Amino acid sequence: MPLLSILVPLYNEEEFIGPLLQRVLEAPLPEGMDREIVVVDDGSTDGSAEIAEEIARAHPEVIRVIRRPRNQGKGAAIRDAVEQARGELCLIQDADLEYDPREYAHLLKPLIEGNADVVYGSRFIIVCERRVLYL
């Protein structure tokens, strides 16, 4: 079973990063799948990075925190996270609790079954699968 890299771009989410990381740690995954969590702090000016680092110290085998000295945007943070990822699969988890980590297994299913090369989630669509082919 492949390793899942959960990439968390972080910028000024002091209120949410602690609960988010706890939910990501507890999120059910397909049987036998391990996870790593790569948090990239994008120059936060609140206590977000410190909270993430504190939680990472309690889970050093699972969570890594990369700190960027200044804010360069979510895309740059994701690129840094992808470079640090060790997993065969990557999933982007926003730090603001907008997406529910309990949905990981549903998102991963088409990939694990070999029915998709990429899966996109949406907060606007009820849980369902759609397949789009463009040749």
Side-chain angles (χ1 to χ4, degrees), residues 50-115:
E50 291 78 10
I51 293 167
E53 287 176 334
E54 180 181 333
I55 296 168
R57 281 191 294 276
H59 303 278
E61 69 287 350
V62 179
I63 303 174
R64 288 180 286 137
V65 178
I66 294 111
R67 293 185 77 167
R68 307 181 87 219
R70 65 182 179 87
N71 182 270
Q72 294 181 335
K74 181 178 178 180
I78 291 170
R79 282 191 299 276
D80 282 358
V82 168
E83 288 177 8
Q84 296 295 318
R86 298 180 189 135
E88 291 85 6
L89 299 173
C90 290
L91 185 150
I92 299 170
Q93 172 68 60
D94 287 348
D96 61 3
L97 289 174
E98 184 173 347
Y99 304 109
D100 188 349
R102 293 176 295 184
E103 298 292 328
Y104 291 172
H106 187 74
L107 281 171
L108 295 167
K109 182 181 175 199
L111 297 168
I112 292 168
E113 292 177 348
N115 294 325

